Amino acid sequence: MTAMPPNKMLKELKLENAAVGYQGEPVVKDANFRIVEGQIGCLLGPSGCGKSTLLRAIAGFEPLMAGSICLDNEVLSSPDELVSPEKRSIGMVFQDIALFPHLTIGANIAFGLKGWSKADTEARIDYLLDLVGLSGYKERYPHSLSGGQQQRVALARAIAPKPKLLLMDEPFSGLDAKLREELVPDIRAILLHEKVSAILVTHDQAEAFAMADQVAIMESGQILQVGTPYEIYHEPVSRFVAMFIGQGDFLPAVVCGSNCVHSDLGEIQGELDHGFASGEKVDLLVRPDDILHDDDSEFKGLIVSKWFRGSYFLYRVKLSSGKVIYCFASSHHNHSIGQEIGLSVHLDHLVMFPTEAKAA
């Protein structure tokens, strides 16, 4: 009997100045990204930014024009070297799931277990079906499963041979929002249980934040920032990152001290980003959670639009200066468009950038 292969845990995946292109034209340039044992990473960005191209290069489907991709200190890709996909110990879950319709669920999962004994193969199938909550589905066919169930089978098939790394290319895009919200944390828990490191490609920040430990924000073929979801949201390094992640507005402001700025919200005390001198004109990032509805506040804003989100309202309110910003309010505070409401400011960490004119 062939022994069941042990877990081959990833120690480190490292991309250094990786460039990928087609017909001599770079699509991705100078990509630097790293995940280590037990981490789940994410390439997050708008459509066409190059994230799927970079994922294909990690998988071995695209060669590098420059730089390198290394897995546990072994060079997988460089301009002079390209290890074939099947030799990389990397699994992949595709956007279209791609289960074999003519094979049973058990046979789909067994597809990547070539060289395993029959007993070990059956044991692995039963274990994985139990892990993904589909015990008893072994003899069923993909068409009889829901979209979420098919996604779980696709995951089970990808991790069946115990790869060091799992790549997931927009795997939840075909599912409805509620199912995605339920499935994403389940998939993360399964990967952590199996000790499989992974990289997710998505344009959905909610997916990225629920799944990943490290997020790389991409735009126009470049990685602009890498960090934890908290760092990406609260400490964006550029205007693009600030506006792509979450909602927000920029208000003109003037630095008025070592830890304060003055804007249409008044004088705000808080931790100041480095690099700005007193008296300097800046643009201050204001997110919805920075401005809360407050009936007792003398600082007012006029509601110009509203969205009901179940547990809260998201208002757009016009300040006396004419600037419009977001505001959170409890779902019990149902105010009308055109109504004036009190606002309280809760900005502690001040995220600022040079004014547009200065930046240009």
Side-chain angles (χ1 to χ4, degrees):
M1 178 184 295
T2 303
M4 186 181 295
N7 276 12
K8 300 168 287 185
M9 292 178 61
L10 172 140
K11 298 300 181 184
E12 180 188 57
L13 173 78
K14 190 173 185 180
L15 280 66
E16 287 190 309
N17 302 317
V20 193
Y22 303 103
Q23 298 179 335
E25 292 295 323
V27 173
V28 176
K29 307 176 288 290
D30 298 321
N32 292 281
F33 186 56
R34 174 177 178 265
I35 62 169
V36 297
E37 180 180 324
Q39 281 189 332
I40 297 175
C42 177
L43 304 177
L44 174 65
S47 297
C49 71
K51 54 189 184 295
S52 289
T53 296
L54 188 55
L55 197 78
R56 288 177 57 82
I58 297 171
F61 299 139
E62 303 293 344
L64 292 188
M65 300 174 64
S68 64
I69 299 173
C70 296
L71 183 70
D72 294 344
N73 294 319
E74 176 189 355
V75 177
L76 299 182
S77 295
S78 72
D80 303 317
E81 190 164 359
L82 182 65
V83 175
S84 60
E86 68 274 11
K87 295 181 180 179
R88 294 190 173 210
S89 191
I90 291 177
M92 193 154 186
V93 176
F94 297 94
Q95 184 173 352
D96 61 0
I97 300 178
L99 295 177
F100 300 114
H102 63 291
L103 297 180
T104 64
I105 300 306
N108 264 278
I109 295 173
F111 186 79
L113 299 179
K114 294 177 175 61
W116 288 45
S117 71
K118 183 176 180 180
D120 285 343
T121 297
E122 291 301 313
R124 183 67 172 158
I125 293 169
D126 291 341
Y127 167 78
L128 288 172
L129 285 176
D130 181 62
L131 184 65
V132 301
L134 293 174
S135 295
Y137 284 67
K138 187 192 296 189
E139 301 304 322
R140 293 177 61 171
Y141 286 84
H143 68 83
S144 68
L145 274 58
S146 68
Q149 290 171 330
Q150 290 184 25
Q151 196 60 260
R152 290 173 183 271
V153 174
L155 175 69
R157 184 179 65 181
I159 66 176
K162 301 187 178 182
K164 287 186 176 181
L165 179 68
L166 179 68
L167 305 180
M168 298 177 286
D169 190 4
E170 302 266 11
F172 311 110
S173 60
L175 305 177
D176 64 69
K178 187 175 187 304
L179 183 55
R180 283 202 307 272
E181 188 175 326
E182 295 172 351
L183 189 59
V184 169
D186 287 348
I187 297 298
R188 174 179 167 83
I190 290 167
L191 292 174
L192 294 178
H193 183 275
E194 277 289 281
K195 298 180 173 61
V196 175
S197 298
I199 298 177
L200 169 72
V201 158
T202 183
H203 61 272
D204 186 318
Q205 70 177 46
E207 282 181 22
F209 286 5
M211 177 70 81
D213 303 296
Q214 289 289 313
V215 179
I217 303 295
M218 294 190 67
E219 197 262 337
S220 299
Q222 293 186 303
I223 292 178
L224 303 183
Q225 182 174 357
V226 178
T228 66
Y230 182 92
E231 291 167 343
I232 294 291
Y233 184 85
H234 288 288
E235 302 169 14
V237 299
S238 70
R239 287 175 177 270
F240 175 85
V241 175
M243 299 313 292
F244 183 74
I245 297 299
Q247 296 167 302
D249 299 282
F250 285 111
L251 289 183
V254 177
V255 178
C256 54
S258 60
N259 64 342
C260 71
V261 297
H262 190 277
S263 72
D264 293 337
L265 301 173
E267 187 172 297
I268 303 170
Q269 302 282 332
E271 182 184 347
L272 202 65
D273 278 355
H274 299 296
F276 296 102
S278 183
E280 188 171 353
K281 294 181 179 179
V282 295
D283 288 336
L284 175 67
L285 176 64
V286 182
R287 295 207 185 273
D289 49 304
D290 295 325
I291 309 296
L292 303 181
H293 170 251
D294 183 355
D295 285 326
D296 297 325
S297 175
E298 295 182 359
F299 182 58
K300 305 293 183 181
L302 188 74
I303 299 174
V304 296
S305 58
K306 59 187 284 191
W307 296 268
F308 181 59
R309 298 292 174 82
S311 60
Y312 65 93
F313 277 101
L314 182 62
Y315 291 123
R316 292 288 280 167
V317 294
K318 182 187 290 186
L319 305 177
S320 59
S321 65
K323 295 293 184 180
V324 179
I325 59 175
Y326 286 102
C327 168
F328 272 157
S330 165
S331 63
H332 299 293
H333 293 269
N334 185 12
H335 297 286
S336 303
I337 293 175
Q339 184 177 349
E340 191 174 62
I341 60 172
L343 308 173
S344 61
V345 180
H346 298 267
L347 270 163
D348 297 318
H349 180 76
L350 306 178
V351 178
M352 300 175 297
F353 298 95
T355 61
E356 288 278 23
K358 184 175 179 179

